[in-house]
Amino acid sequence: MKKLVFASNNSHKLTEIRAILESKFTIISLSDLNCTDDIPETANTLDGNALLKAQYIYNKFGFNCFADDTGLEVEALNGEPGVFSARYAGEDNNAQNNINKLLSELGSNPNRNAQFRTVIALIEDGDVNYFEGKVEGKISYKPAGNDGFGYDPVFVPNGMDRSFAELSTYDKNRISHRALAVRKLAEYLGL
């Protein structure tokens, strides 16, 4: 089975990606490589950050690899938190604090339109390709559900009445932004 490095130590992302790709690929995480480096995410775009992470691992280890960056883009907040989604609450950022800041910023604004967007950068033998997935939805007024991670408890995809955090991993992987981007990656890889 072919091996592909996923330039992340995020266990939630790793689980989602392995569920989609591992029938054809052995997915190697950064921890599998004993890499604990803090890879800088200094670009001001999702594709820029994805490329920074993939390029860092490709240059350091020489393996074909891919990395992703994901942002929650909220219409009423002019696309925020966007590229800063993981660090939205500043130094005290964690999932709960990021959600609290988001709900505070939105307040009672009736425009709850938002989208999750994932960009994957794949480096294969030095060539770079990008794959994007997005899912549109709304931000709920309060968190619901215990599954998922990040903003999942407050993101309700269009056409559903439950948040990402209320969906099973299987159901989320059928429609999520990351799953859509990974499926495009899989198609490119001939899966």
Side-chain angles (χ1 to χ4, degrees):
M1 194 176 295
K2 288 177 73 173
K3 294 182 179 179
L4 194 58
V5 175
F6 176 42
S8 179
N9 273 325
N10 182 314
S11 62
H12 298 289
K13 289 182 180 182
L14 195 59
T15 298
E16 286 183 7
I17 286 182
R18 282 183 170 154
I20 296 167
L21 291 180
E22 275 218 322
S23 64
K24 302 285 186 186
F25 284 86
T26 298
I27 303 300
I28 300 167
S29 71
L30 295 183
S31 62
D32 295 330
L33 297 175
N34 293 316
C35 179
T36 58
D37 300 2
D38 187 18
I39 304 171
E41 296 183 46
T42 55
N44 59 4
T45 63
L46 297 176
D47 50 330
N49 278 336
L51 181 59
L52 281 173
K53 292 184 275 190
Q55 193 74 57
Y56 183 91
I57 296 305
Y58 184 79
N59 291 342
K60 182 167 183 166
F61 296 99
F63 294 123
N64 290 338
C65 66
F66 67 98
D68 81 314
D69 199 24
T70 296
L72 175 66
E73 300 166 336
V74 180
E75 188 176 281
L77 301 178
N78 299 314
E80 287 185 8
V83 73
F84 301 107
S85 293
R87 306 177 297 281
Y88 194 47
E91 288 186 23
D92 293 330
N93 69 71
N94 62 39
Q96 189 58 57
N97 289 345
N98 289 339
I99 287 171
N100 291 343
K101 179 174 181 181
L102 174 67
L103 293 178
S104 174
E105 293 289 321
L106 274 174
S108 60
N109 189 326
N111 180 358
R112 312 301 279 195
N113 295 333
Q115 68 178 11
F116 261 126
R117 193 163 62 91
T118 291
V119 176
I120 291 174
L122 168 71
I123 302 179
E124 189 177 34
D125 302 322
D127 293 329
V128 178
N129 286 285
Y130 294 98
F131 309 91
E132 180 179 303
K134 67 181 176 181
V135 61
E136 296 178 344
K138 302 210 178 304
I139 302 300
S140 61
Y141 286 89
K142 62 183 182 182
N146 298 312
D147 289 332
F149 63 101
Y151 296 93
D152 286 358
V154 294
F155 184 81
V156 178
N158 285 346
M160 303 195 92
D161 59 0
R162 295 180 294 159
S163 75
F164 266 169
E166 294 176 290
L167 300 178
S168 70
T169 301
Y170 174 81
D171 287 338
K172 181 183 173 188
N173 279 345
R174 288 180 32 243
I175 62 166
S176 82
H177 47 293
R178 187 168 297 102
L180 295 172
V182 171
R183 274 194 217 103
K184 289 177 183 177
L185 169 66
E187 286 169 18
Y188 173 82
L189 293 171
L191 301 181

